């Protein structure tokens, strides 16, 4: 590409700045001149500069607590985490033990403040996510469904680390 620009250097100075992504950072910054280099690095590193499902990567370490699962990074079809039921009084579903413990602690603290938090959707298997996504496809076009639902393998719910919470 030639010499590094001031913008390139600002991106590389960030902890997550990557030299192999400099062209994509520059392209994103050109489309979003008001954004900071940190915004460019964040957006590109999460593949938000690419169309959904255009170049999906299968995660090599799906059990990592820091695994990024989205419309660009997917879980293997056969991934099933260790799960623990949330238990009575916490709503429905199961999560990975670390997440279940953290949610119960948060819900207990909220309850002490007079707020009841409960899970309405926790872990979903590949098959459950497939069914959920296919239901949306029966109601709308795929391009529309992709804006609010994840295809099987691309849902954070499949990690066992995500849940939808309601309050009462």
């Amino acid at each position: 590409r030639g010499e590094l620009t001031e913008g390139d250097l600002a991106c590389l100075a960030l902890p997550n700045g990557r030299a192999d992504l400099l062209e994509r950072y520059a392209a994103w910054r050109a489309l979003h001149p008001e954004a900071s280099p940190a915004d460019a690095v964040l957006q590109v590193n999460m593949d938000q500069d690419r169309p959904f499902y255009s170049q999906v990567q299968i995660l090599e370490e799906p059990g990592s607590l820091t695994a990024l699962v989205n419309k660009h990074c997917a879980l293997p079809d056969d991934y099933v985490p260790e799960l623990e039921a949330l238990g009575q009084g916490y709503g429905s579903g199961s999560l990975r033990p670390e997440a279940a413990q953290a949610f119960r602690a948060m819900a207990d603290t909220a309850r002490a403040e007079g707020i009841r938090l409960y899970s309405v959707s926790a872990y979903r298997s590949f098959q459950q996510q497939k069914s959920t996504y296919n239901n949306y496809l029966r109601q709308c076009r795929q391009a529309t469904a992709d804006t609010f639902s994840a295809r099987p393998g691309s849902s954070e719910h499949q990690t066992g680390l995500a849940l939808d919470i309601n309050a009462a």
Side-chain angles (χ1 to χ4, degrees), residues 52 71 142-149:
F52 293 156
K71 295 171 183 186
Q142 185 172 42
T144 302
D146 283 346
T147 66
F148 63 85
S149 184

Side-chain angles (χ1 to χ4, degrees), residues 19 25 29 44 49 61 120 165:
Y25 297 151
R29 288 191 334 266
V44 170
D49 62 322
E61 295 184 46
V120 292
I165 302 170

Side-chain angles (χ1 to χ4, degrees), residues 86 90-94 103 116-124 157 162-167:
L86 291 175
Y90 296 98
S92 61
S94 298
F103 173 67
R116 181 173 174 261
L117 300 178
Y118 58 96
S119 166
V120 292
S121 179
Y123 170 75
R124 289 187 210 134
H157 285 274
L163 73 159
D164 298 333
I165 302 170
N166 276 356

